[in-house]
Amino acid sequence: MDEHILLENVNKSFPKNNRSETVTLEDVSLSIKRGEFISLLGPSGCGKSTLLNIIAGLEKETSGKVLVNGNPITGPGNDRIVVFQESGLFPWMTVLENVMYGLLIKKVPKEEAKERAMVWLQKVHLGKFADRSPHELSGGMKQRVAIARALVMDPEILLMDEPFAALDEQTRMVLHQELETLWRETGKTIIFVTHNIREALVLSDRVVLMKTRPGGIKNIFPVQAARPRNSSDSILNYLENRILSELEQEMEKVLKEELGSDYALKKDRVYIDPHNNLGSDI
C-alpha cells in the first residue's frame, strides 16, 4: 500500500478573543496508507473532529502540511466524503432519491444515477426500502443510507465522524460487520472518529489515540488481530487495557483542569463534589 494521506506538523487555532486564541491541534504528524482503516480515539475536546474536518477540506490548518496523493488539500473534494453522526437525509426525498442526489448534482444522467444508487442500496441491504421516506426508517437504517450515499460517489477516502454513536449496541455490532465488508470490497481509505475503544479495535488497522488540550497524537496502536474480528480476541483485550490506561491519563488532565482544587485521586477512584456538573462531556 502506498502513502495516501500525509499530515506533517499540523496546528490549528481558533480565535478566542481579540488578544488570544485557542490551540485545538498542536504538531500533529501522521502518515496513512492507501486502503487503511484508521480510528481517531480520545476524550471530548481533543480535536478528533477538527482533524477530520481539515482532511475533508471543511477547515483549514493554521500551519503545517496536509497532503492527499501528494497534493495539498485546498477545500472539499469528491475524493473525500464525510459521514456524520446524524445521517443528514433530506426528509422530503425518498431513500433512493437521497442516494441519487450527489450523482445528479454531478450531472450524471438520471437513469444511470438510479441504477448506481440501487446497487449501493442493495449492498447495504436496503433495496426494498428504496421508495420509503427517511422518517419510516430506524436509526441504523438511516446510517446505512448515509453510507450508501457516500460510497455511490466512489470517493477514495471515507471520513466518518462517530457515525454509530447514537445507535444501540446490537445495531452497532451489525453495522460494524457491514462496514468492514464494504471496506474490504471497495479498498477505500477510512478515517473513523469514535469515543468507543472496542469499536475502534474491532474495525481498525491502527488506532490513533489523541491527547487533550491542545490535541495531538499520544500513541498509535497497530491492531494485528485476524479479520473478521472477534470481540473476545485476547489481542483486542490486551490492546483495550493498554489504550484505557493511557486514555485515563488524558481524562485525569481534563478533570484536573475543570475541577481544580475539587479534584482528588485516591485508591484509583476519582472523588468530586456531587453538586459539580463538570466533566459530563467526557
Side-chain angles (χ1 to χ4, degrees), residues 3-281:
E3 185 177 77
H4 199 180
I5 304 168
L6 177 64
L7 299 96
E8 287 188 348
N9 308 117
V10 172
N11 296 276
K12 178 63 179 178
S13 299
F14 291 96
K16 187 176 182 180
N17 54 48
N18 291 336
R19 291 176 292 179
S20 66
E21 57 185 20
T22 299
V23 180
T24 303
L25 293 172
E26 185 176 63
D27 198 28
V28 175
S29 294
L30 180 65
S31 176
I32 299 173
K33 295 179 180 178
R34 190 175 302 277
E36 266 197 298
F37 197 125
I38 299 292
S39 283
L40 303 179
L41 180 72
S44 295
C46 71
K48 301 183 298 294
S49 294
T50 299
L51 186 59
L52 197 80
N53 287 338
I54 288 173
I55 297 171
L58 301 175
E59 295 276 1
K60 176 67 176 174
E61 67 277 10
T62 304
S63 63
K65 185 187 299 184
V66 185
L67 306 177
V68 172
N69 294 321
N71 300 311
I73 292 174
T74 58
N78 292 327
D79 59 333
R80 290 156 283 126
I81 302 291
V82 184
V83 176
F84 296 100
Q85 182 174 337
E86 296 295 330
S87 63
L89 302 181
F90 298 124
W92 60 88
M93 292 184 181
T94 65
V95 166
L96 178 60
E97 289 168 342
N98 268 282
V99 179
M100 291 172 58
Y101 180 77
L103 296 174
L104 296 177
I105 292 295
K106 287 183 65 179
K107 307 299 182 184
V108 173
K110 187 173 181 178
E111 285 305 309
E112 180 184 345
K114 181 177 180 179
E115 181 178 336
R116 288 167 60 177
M118 281 303 302
V119 167
W120 278 102
L121 283 175
Q122 295 289 352
K123 285 181 180 290
V124 297
H125 312 295
L126 288 177
K128 66 180 181 180
F129 294 91
D131 294 327
R132 301 287 185 91
S133 296
H135 76 268
E136 299 179 83
L137 306 181
S138 67
M141 292 165 75
K142 289 177 182 177
Q143 286 304 83
R144 284 191 180 95
V145 176
I147 292 169
R149 182 177 59 183
L151 289 175
V152 77
M153 303 301 293
D154 196 26
E156 294 182 12
I157 300 165
L158 189 62
L159 305 167
M160 309 188 78
D161 195 356
E162 298 193 74
F164 308 143
L167 305 178
D168 63 82
E169 187 63 25
Q170 291 81 7
T171 302
R172 286 172 74 134
M173 290 173 62
V174 171
L175 289 179
H176 290 166
Q177 295 171 0
E178 293 187 0
L179 178 60
E180 181 177 356
T181 298
L182 292 171
W183 168 67
R184 295 176 72 176
E185 287 179 355
T186 62
K188 304 297 183 188
T189 301
I190 297 181
I191 303 177
F192 189 98
V193 169
T194 181
H195 281 89
N196 189 304
I197 299 174
R198 182 54 55 133
E199 178 172 70
L201 290 171
V202 166
L203 291 171
S204 308
D205 292 320
R206 289 187 292 161
V207 177
V208 177
L209 179 62
M210 297 185 66
K211 61 185 182 67
T212 187
R213 299 178 184 173
I217 295 177
K218 181 177 179 67
N219 207 344
I220 299 177
F221 298 87
V223 187
Q224 298 175 330
R227 293 183 183 273
R229 300 268 165 80
N230 184 331
S231 61
S232 63
D233 191 313
S234 60
I235 294 175
L236 301 190
N237 291 331
Y238 168 73
L239 287 172
E240 184 172 24
N241 288 330
R242 282 191 60 195
I243 293 171
L244 182 59
S245 176
E246 295 200 23
L247 184 58
E248 285 176 342
Q249 297 171 17
E250 297 306 308
M251 293 170 67
E252 282 187 37
K253 292 178 186 177
V254 175
L255 288 169
K256 287 178 181 178
E257 181 179 309
E258 292 186 346
L259 298 174
S261 60
D262 289 336
Y263 174 86
L265 184 64
K266 185 177 181 181
K267 294 183 180 179
D268 296 325
R269 299 178 68 90
V270 176
Y271 295 90
I272 62 174
D273 182 345
H275 301 293
N276 247 323
N277 192 31
L278 297 173
S280 58
D281 63 337

